[in-house]
Amino acid sequence: MAAKSSMDGIIDTISERKLVEGSVHGGMKEIQEMIDFAAKHKISAEIEIIPINYINTAMDRLAMGDVKYRFVIDIGNTLIS
């Protein structure tokens, strides 16, 4: 199996790097392959889902070091249509 002898990406979950950022690497095909690989091998992230109106509190918590998991902002139900 090719996946055992090569690496195409790294999932970085280091908690000391306190940044709010995003990135776009690879196209839809590569992203789907990564998601399929993670699902097949039961790899998942530990996250804390927050609403958009919690963002200032989340930033304060980042500054205090009071974050155990990565924040994921759920904007799906907070967008004004």
Side-chain angles (χ1 to χ4, degrees), residues 12-14 17 46-49 67-72:
D12 181 5
T13 59
I14 298 172
R17 214 173 285 162
E46 294 182 347
I47 61 171
E48 182 176 339
I49 299 173
V67 180
K68 186 172 182 181
Y69 308 110
R70 288 189 182 258
F71 287 126
V72 173

Side-chain angles (χ1 to χ4, degrees), residues 25-41:
H25 296 288
M28 292 299 291
K29 179 180 180 275
E30 290 81 10
I31 292 170
Q32 188 61 56
E33 288 173 356
M34 180 186 71
I35 291 170
D36 293 343
F37 178 86
K40 178 180 177 183
H41 297 283

Side-chain angles (χ1 to χ4, degrees), residues 2-36:
K4 289 185 178 181
S5 61
S6 68
M7 180 183 301
D8 294 323
I10 297 173
I11 300 173
D12 181 5
T13 59
I14 298 172
S15 62
E16 280 76 25
R17 214 173 285 162
K18 296 178 175 132
L19 301 173
V20 176
E21 63 181 87
S23 62
V24 180
H25 296 288
M28 292 299 291
K29 179 180 180 275
E30 290 81 10
I31 292 170
Q32 188 61 56
E33 288 173 356
M34 180 186 71
I35 291 170
D36 293 343

